[in-house]
Amino acid sequence: MAAPRDHPGALEKQGREGRRGGSGVEVVFPPDPAAPAPLCPHGPTLLFVKVIQGKEETRRFYACSACRDRKDCNFFQWEDEKLSPARLAAREAHHRRFLPPLSRTQCVDRYLKFIALPLTERKFCQSCQQLLLLEEWDKHREHQVLGDISVSQLRRPSRLLYPLENKKTNAQYLFAERSCQFLVDLLSALGFQRVLCVGTPRLHELIRLTASGDNKSNMKSLLLDIDFRYSQFYMEDSFCHYNMFNHHFFDGKAALDVCRAFLQDGNGEGVIMVTDPPFGGLVEPLAVTFKKLIAMWKEGQSQDDGYKELPIFWIFPYFFESRICQFFPSFSMLDYQVDYDNHALYKHGKTGRKQSPVRIFTNIPPSKIILPTEEGYRFCPLCQRYVSVENQHCEHCNSCPSKDGRKWNHCFLCNKCVKPSWIHCSTCSHCAVPDHSCEGPKDGCFICGELDHKRSNCPNISASKRANKAVRKQKQRKSNKMKMETTKGQTMNHTSATRKKKRRERTHQYLCS
Ligand code: SAH
Ligand code: ZN
Ligand code: ZN
Ligand code: ZN
Ligand code: ZN
């Protein structure tokens, strides 16, 4: 059950190191432009390299950009591997089975037919997560079917569909009403007329609901998301099936043009991009994608606007701050805590004890962003920004230094403010949790280095296993072949037994490093 997003410790480490979980797998950028990446059903794959004890393994491999679980997409290819035409064809046939059953245009046709039905004939199959047309009722007779689907239900698909919580692909965590309303109000107060929603289906629908209400808002929204179920509820100009880890539009140029037109409308004035990617995803491919969207927006600018930036809200945990700012130096992190509906760990508890670690990163000056005082934020005149009430200004740091919403304490030896639970350790010569091991992570988890669990309970174990299994499988295939060629008919000799043992040891070493 435990997975990176559920385990702030492991994610925090990933945030610091820029790796995929504890698996020690890193993405390689920029891939050689002369060698285009092979395609999986989710568009161009990414090139990865395994890193063992700080050293890169020489053999790199391509894997799916979107799915961190082999169950969702098992694409694997060594960088230097040549596939026979027969294997390529087989692979393509295999991929086709992953494609959505309907084209985007077919979805829109269905939607139009559906809304023309009288209320009593509008049904939604919960088992198949699909709106049903009359002629389909029969097929779904045995399923969980919801009747009388109202217009207001159709306008809130994120409530009709169940969230896809599979941590390693969709990691769909929906904004709590309070946070979602805060975002819509903020976007409107900042004067935006168009919002490019990248992986924010609930925000998208609330913007549209607000605009269709009788108030003055006429904000438009375009949703880009990999969750194809949403395509049932929107016309072509408000949803594109999209992969944000490789900037892939599943419906090709037509969809790309929709996105471009949306960004470039009115010379690109009044548009903002808001994104809330899966937290287990790597920052670098996301940054590369967002830069492509920025470039697309820029193409529509006149020359003298060259210095302008596309306004962005990137919603992500606070411990990714340095990673995000590395790619976007103009971004700052707001103190606002983003809350979720279906996430037990990342939502404000009633007691206020559970704090969400999720923040907004933005290139809009923080002084322009008013955080609600009734939710415990205040304006710091020295920092010229809104902060958590507990985040007290430190005269030595000359800032409100807290990242997690609690009051931090200044350490004069470290010369900075630190978490309240930390103490200064003279052995390590910096502040740390009181029960840390000064010699590093050896008392904690071998995989991720966290101190609160052992390897067997590590939330990252599946990620490491996946990387290992993929590599092992290839090695196995090779060694099987070798065995067939060399030890045909013999029982396993001593050397191959040693080799096998060595391999086991290496794997163990890898898992435990
Ligand atoms: N808080 C947001 C939802 C964020 S959850 C809201 O309430 O609106 C992450 C979202 O990103 C999900 O909608 C998920 O379907 C989408 N997503 C996950 N992987 C993606 C990918 N590779 N490309 C595009 N969207 C993706
Ligand atoms: Zn894939
Ligand atoms: Zn300080
Ligand atoms: Zn120490
Ligand atoms: Zn661990």
Side-chain angles (χ1 to χ4, degrees):
M1 271 313 286
R5 186 156 176 156
D6 273 343
H7 189 272
L11 252 192
E12 199 162 338
K13 192 171 153 68
Q14 178 182 333
R16 284 197 306 269
E17 296 180 351
R19 301 238 174 100
R20 186 177 262 194
S23 63
V25 174
E26 286 182 6
V27 71
V28 185
F29 272 110
D32 183 357
L39 306 177
C40 79
H42 307 92
T45 52
L46 294 177
L47 187 57
F48 291 96
V49 64
K50 249 191 355 164
V51 178
I52 300 173
Q53 283 161 354
K55 275 203 228 94
E56 286 190 4
E57 279 213 331
T58 44
R59 210 161 175 206
R60 309 190 289 186
F61 61 91
Y62 292 102
C64 181
S65 64
C67 309
R68 283 163 291 127
D69 193 329
R70 283 176 68 81
K71 281 206 288 296
D72 295 328
C73 180
N74 66 358
F75 189 97
F76 181 96
Q77 186 183 323
W78 290 113
E79 184 184 20
D80 54 12
E81 194 176 346
K82 293 271 175 291
L83 297 189
S84 66
R87 262 191 77 194
L88 275 173
R91 186 161 84 187
E92 242 170 56
H94 178 70
H95 288 173
R96 270 196 292 278
R97 290 190 300 163
F98 283 84
L99 293 177
L102 297 174
S103 76
R104 195 65 193 91
T105 332
Q106 282 171 313
C107 286
V108 169
D109 285 348
R110 284 178 58 90
Y111 175 70
L112 293 174
K113 275 192 198 143
F114 189 88
I115 52 175
L117 293 172
L119 183 66
T120 51
E121 290 177 7
R122 284 194 222 132
K123 294 184 196 284
F124 174 75
C125 177
Q126 290 179 311
S127 319
C128 304
Q129 294 283 292
Q130 191 193 324
L131 297 171
L132 303 181
L133 296 176
L134 293 177
E135 62 271 23
E136 292 158 346
W137 287 7
D138 219 32
K139 259 195 292 176
H140 300 263
R141 223 172 343 132
E142 313 273 298
H143 298 177
Q144 285 269 10
V145 174
L146 217 60
D148 291 354
I149 304 297
S150 66
V151 172
S152 58
Q153 278 175 303
L154 285 173
R155 285 188 178 158
R156 304 228 64 170
S158 79
R159 290 186 177 172
L160 207 53
L161 302 167
Y162 58 75
L164 300 176
E165 289 187 19
N166 55 330
K167 309 277 181 342
K168 296 208 178 141
T169 301
N170 291 76
Q172 208 159 47
Y173 294 103
L174 300 166
F175 295 132
E177 191 61 36
R178 177 169 74 160
S179 282
C180 207
Q181 193 62 57
F182 164 76
L183 286 169
V184 174
D185 293 344
L186 178 59
L187 294 169
S188 140
L190 291 168
F192 290 107
Q193 287 125 36
R194 296 189 315 288
V195 185
L196 183 69
C197 284
V198 183
T200 57
R202 182 159 278 180
L203 177 66
H204 175 65
E205 72 190 30
L206 192 60
I207 293 170
R208 290 165 58 87
L209 270 178
T210 312
S212 73
D214 54 0
N215 44 40
K216 294 171 295 302
S217 164
N218 58 349
M219 232 192 283
K220 281 200 219 142
S221 178
L222 170 62
L223 174 63
L224 310 184
D225 203 290
I226 203 163
D227 184 353
F228 184 70
R229 299 172 308 164
Y230 280 96
S231 66
Q232 301 175 77
F233 301 89
Y234 299 113
M235 306 290 283
E236 283 107 327
D237 63 351
S238 49
F239 175 82
C240 300
H241 190 204
Y242 178 74
N243 180 355
M244 66 166 107
F245 288 105
N246 58 5
H247 187 56
H248 175 68
F249 287 86
F250 290 82
D251 296 282
K253 186 166 179 305
L256 179 83
D257 287 345
V258 167
C259 179
R260 182 186 289 116
F262 189 84
L263 284 170
Q264 297 182 355
D265 188 25
N267 286 323
E269 280 294 310
V271 66
I272 180 171
M273 180 187 109
V274 181
T275 183
D276 185 10
F279 301 158
L282 284 169
V283 170
E284 193 170 5
L286 290 171
V288 169
T289 289
F290 301 153
K291 286 185 193 233
K292 288 183 182 158
L293 288 167
I294 293 169
M296 201 187 262
W297 168 81
K298 266 228 152 91
E299 285 164 24
Q301 301 271 292
S302 51
Q303 291 295 321
D304 51 355
D305 284 345
Y307 61 93
K308 277 204 201 158
E309 285 184 35
L310 170 68
I312 292 176
F313 283 166
W314 178 345
I315 297 165
F316 228 51
Y318 70 79
F319 29 81
F320 283 89
E321 183 182 21
S322 65
R323 282 294 283 169
I324 291 181
C325 294
Q326 198 181 326
F327 294 104
F328 296 99
S330 66
F331 281 22
S332 53
M333 186 176 91
L334 307 178
D335 252 22
Y336 184 80
Q337 300 193 3
V338 180
D339 286 348
Y340 295 85
D341 253 3
N342 55 329
H343 204 296
L345 278 176
Y346 286 10
K347 71 179 174 194
H348 262 303
K350 284 211 176 63
T351 58
R353 270 184 59 240
K354 264 183 199 158
Q355 306 228 28
S356 164
V358 184
R359 302 288 182 273
I360 300 169
F361 295 86
T362 183
N363 50 357
I364 296 174
S367 60
K368 288 195 182 168
I369 297 172
I370 300 170
L371 304 185
T373 49
E374 63 279 12
E375 283 178 38
Y377 300 97
R378 64 175 181 93
F379 187 71
C380 173
L382 296 163
C383 296
Q384 283 290 303
R385 66 177 185 118
Y386 277 82
V387 293
S388 291
V389 169
E390 313 254 297
N391 188 0
Q392 286 174 23
H393 193 87
C394 169
E395 55 176 357
H396 310 290
C397 294
N398 194 27
S399 69
C400 293
S402 171
K403 305 286 182 196
D404 60 11
R406 296 179 297 172
K407 181 184 178 302
W408 285 21
N409 302 320
H410 193 83
C411 169
F412 287 94
L413 295 165
C414 289
N415 209 10
K416 64 177 184 189
C417 282
V418 295
K419 289 185 178 175
S421 54
W422 288 19
I423 50 160
H424 195 82
C425 168
S426 53
T427 313
C428 301
S429 37
H430 58 72
C431 283
V433 284
D435 58 349
H436 70 277
S437 138
C438 294
E439 289 138 55
K442 89 165 186 276
D443 289 343
C445 170
F446 283 118
I447 293 176
C448 69
E450 292 302 321
L451 297 169
D452 59 355
H453 62 267
K454 295 286 181 201
R455 194 183 75 80
S456 50
N457 294 324
C458 181
N460 286 315
I461 196 158
S462 53
S464 333
K465 269 189 182 156
R466 176 195 163 178
N468 255 311
K469 222 160 95 189
V471 171
R472 247 186 351 249
K473 225 170 142 185
Q474 297 287 323
K475 283 188 178 157
Q476 192 81 51
R477 221 180 268 155
K478 264 223 162 131
S479 89
N480 282 348
K481 213 169 134 200
M482 232 158 59
K483 251 183 246 156
M484 292 220 313
E485 281 158 10
T486 58
T487 61
K488 226 182 205 165
Q490 296 171 16
T491 47
M492 197 193 282
N493 60 26
H494 179 68
T495 38
S496 73
T498 330
R499 208 166 33 225
K500 200 166 172 192
K501 190 164 160 237
K502 278 241 172 77
R503 193 162 60 222
R504 249 204 317 267
E505 275 166 11
R506 267 204 308 275
T507 308
H508 181 76
Q509 199 181 15
Y510 167 63
L511 275 170
C512 299
S513 61

